[in-house]
Amino acid sequence: MTPAINLLKKRGIAHRVLSYTHDATAESYGGEAVQQLGLDPTQVFKTLLASTDTHELLVAIVPVSGTLDLKALAEAAGCRKCEMAKVDDAQRATGYLVGGISPLGQKKRLRSFIDTSAAALPTVHVSAGRRGLEVALAPADLLHLIDAAYASIGRAR
């Protein structure tokens, strides 16, 4: 079990774990999950880390069908600008490897933002903490578990 799944079990949160065999040559981890599991790409969310101008790490959770709007994330976080975090910084802060970073059960509590599109969905799928492992849960449960805020941070491709 991963820290993400352990957290869900410990808190008694309704969830469903889905797994597939990860292909190391896949171009997109989220895209691979959509394809392998036959999921709606608007319901599968990727967990990205960004760094602010003051070097604070932020968690941004956006649909795999789009991209992260760094300007909108900076506005939501109340800072001047954001850029994608360095891989080593993201892995060290979360305890997960890139491609398997879950918003749940991270080593450090980081400010987190979920794209507002999640609020209208009955279920969202996020990484369960390992490449090839997803977890489905209610967006409200995700919001409360990670003490996140909804913000319009996603941008359609």
Side-chain angles (χ1 to χ4, degrees):
M1 287 297 131
T2 65
I5 295 170
N6 289 338
L7 174 65
L8 291 166
K9 286 182 175 183
K10 181 180 174 186
R11 296 282 184 87
I13 302 297
H15 67 282
R16 188 169 47 105
V17 177
L18 302 100
S19 65
Y20 60 93
T21 303
H22 169 62
D23 178 358
T25 64
E27 289 181 28
S28 159
Y29 297 113
E32 181 186 26
V34 166
Q35 183 180 17
Q36 293 292 327
L37 298 171
L39 299 171
D40 179 344
T42 63
Q43 288 186 291
V44 179
F45 284 68
K46 54 189 169 186
T47 304
L48 303 171
L49 270 78
S51 179
T52 69
D53 50 329
T54 61
H55 307 291
E56 175 189 8
L57 289 178
L58 303 172
V59 176
I61 303 158
V62 297
V64 300
S65 59
T67 60
L68 172 61
D69 183 337
L70 288 165
K71 200 173 209 176
L73 178 62
E75 186 177 317
C79 61
R80 284 198 337 258
K81 69 178 206 169
C82 289
E83 61 184 31
M84 295 305 297
K86 293 178 182 155
V87 170
D88 288 346
D89 292 343
Q91 292 181 159
R92 192 172 22 262
T94 63
Y96 294 117
L97 295 176
V98 166
I101 293 179
S102 177
L104 302 160
Q106 295 183 357
K107 264 174 46 176
K108 290 183 181 177
R109 177 64 71 112
L110 303 171
R111 281 201 300 156
S112 300
F113 300 88
I114 303 172
D115 186 65
T116 53
S117 64
L121 299 171
T123 303
V124 293
H125 297 83
V126 295
S127 174
R130 191 170 62 230
R131 296 171 186 159
L133 201 60
E134 294 284 308
V135 64
L137 72 161
D141 288 335
L142 176 61
L143 183 81
H144 295 298
L145 277 172
I146 63 173
D147 194 26
Y150 284 125
S152 295
I153 57 171
R155 181 175 45 200
R157 283 188 195 184

